[in-house]
Amino acid sequence: MQNRLETLDSILDRLRMSIRKNGLKNSKQREEIIAVLYRSGTHLSPEEIASEIRTKDKTTSISSVYRILSFLEKENFITALDADKSGRRYEIAAKDHHDHIICLHCGNIIEFVDPEIEERQIKVASEHNAKLISHNMKLFVICEKCQN
């Protein structure tokens, strides 16, 4: 798990400000989705998020989870990763930059940071007279477990 740039309380404070800014009512479900993703430290599907929330609130619907995830992504609280055929997976956005290795068989996602790759990307952009603003690297693999 990568270093977090922000505490859960700080993220929830920003969420409450964003909700007010957008003229919405405060929602415990929004906060709970953020908390579930923050505590997991990994990449979760909407179904996994809903399942986790249902342990406390049986009335949580999958459609509400999808709607809230869309809002949270739009407001940059979470990021989505199109990992494989199983659909999008989400993670908290308040983390240090990292890239992903994704197994095409089991869907396992490994986060990694490689300073040489980071430097090379900046150099490639510079060689094209451009300034690198951001990037999103995904390596699709068959993991060791699935190879056996």
Side-chain angles (χ1 to χ4, degrees), residues 1-2 21-22 30 41 47 53 64 129 133:
M1 182 170 49
Q2 299 298 315
K21 177 192 81 168
N22 283 286
R30 286 187 199 102
E47 292 76 14
I53 292 173
S64 292
N129 299 316
I133 304 302

Side-chain angles (χ1 to χ4, degrees), residues 111-137:
E111 296 178 353
F112 75 96
V113 175
D114 184 318
E116 288 181 48
I117 290 173
E118 299 301 317
E119 289 175 24
R120 182 73 183 126
Q121 290 174 120
I122 293 167
K123 185 177 178 195
V124 167
S126 177
E127 288 169 356
H128 289 84
N129 299 316
K131 180 182 177 188
L132 182 65
I133 304 302
S134 72
H135 73 277
N136 181 5
M137 180 185 290

Side-chain angles (χ1 to χ4, degrees), residues 54-118:
R54 283 187 192 122
T55 63
K56 294 177 185 167
D57 178 3
K58 302 280 188 239
T59 65
T60 300
S61 72
I62 191 68
S63 61
S64 292
V65 170
Y66 274 104
R67 195 169 44 255
I68 292 168
L69 288 170
S70 177
F71 169 79
L72 294 174
E73 184 179 10
K74 181 177 75 74
E75 294 292 314
N76 297 313
F77 288 98
I78 61 172
T79 56
L81 180 63
D82 292 313
D84 59 14
K85 58 191 171 292
S86 67
R88 297 183 115 196
R89 300 181 75 77
Y90 295 86
E91 67 179 324
I92 203 77
K95 293 166 71 172
D96 288 335
H97 168 77
H98 57 276
D99 295 305
H100 299 95
I101 297 172
I102 304 162
C103 179
L104 292 173
H105 279 199
C106 68
N108 187 39
I109 301 170
I110 301 166
E111 296 178 353
F112 75 96
V113 175
D114 184 318
E116 288 181 48
I117 290 173
E118 299 301 317

